[in-house]
Amino acid sequence: MMSKQTFGTSHVPISPAVRAGDFVYVSGQVPVGPDGKLVTGGIEEQTAQVLENIKAALALAGATMDQVVKTTAWLEDARDFGGFNKAYATFFPKEPPARTTVESRMMIDIKVEIEAVAYSPRG
């Protein structure tokens, strides 16, 4: 039977990361800095913070960015796609994961939210 482990805490009823067997699922991350405040700036700054948050959530479960196999991204404005891609590419410089990107209304006043799935076999 496959076990499930949760990692991290949140002020909303989610686990930032969940390990199920060799996969790690990261909940949708938003551009909130370590101080708990939304980062200022445009799509590139917000995308970079979201991906730093994904990196941190993965680390809780013993996974890394190079193990990410799939992401889903929601952009508040499709016109931000170019800037989003520019920042996103810096976190996945080679062999980027599969990705779905859509325009969507957000739950809070942010420009981007991203979730991730990593394949991270236990050694």
Side-chain angles (χ1 to χ4, degrees):
M1 183 171 155
M2 184 174 62
S3 64
K4 175 181 107 171
Q5 284 180 281
T6 60
F7 299 88
T9 59
S10 177
H11 68 283
V12 293
I14 65 167
S15 294
V18 175
R19 178 180 276 282
D22 289 339
F23 287 91
V24 176
Y25 298 85
V26 176
S27 292
Q29 298 295 303
V30 297
V32 173
D35 60 0
K37 295 188 167 104
L38 286 174
V39 298
T40 56
I43 189 66
E44 290 182 44
E45 293 82 2
Q46 287 200 11
T47 300
Q49 184 62 61
V50 167
L51 289 164
E52 287 292 346
N53 295 347
I54 286 174
K55 190 177 186 179
L58 286 167
L60 294 173
T64 59
M65 292 294 272
D66 63 336
Q67 294 175 311
V68 173
V69 294
K70 174 72 167 85
T71 62
T72 303
W74 294 267
L75 301 181
E76 186 267 334
D77 187 338
R79 292 171 294 189
D80 285 337
F81 192 59
F84 163 77
N85 273 324
K86 184 177 175 187
Y88 184 94
T90 66
F91 284 81
F92 300 105
K94 60 183 179 26
E95 298 182 347
R99 185 182 83 193
T100 302
T101 307
V102 297
E103 182 183 57
S104 177
R105 284 178 43 208
M106 301 292 191
M107 300 297 113
I108 57 177
D109 187 20
I110 57 175
K111 296 181 179 301
V112 59
E113 179 171 347
I114 305 171
E115 69 178 21
V117 179
Y119 179 66
S120 176
R122 296 180 199 228

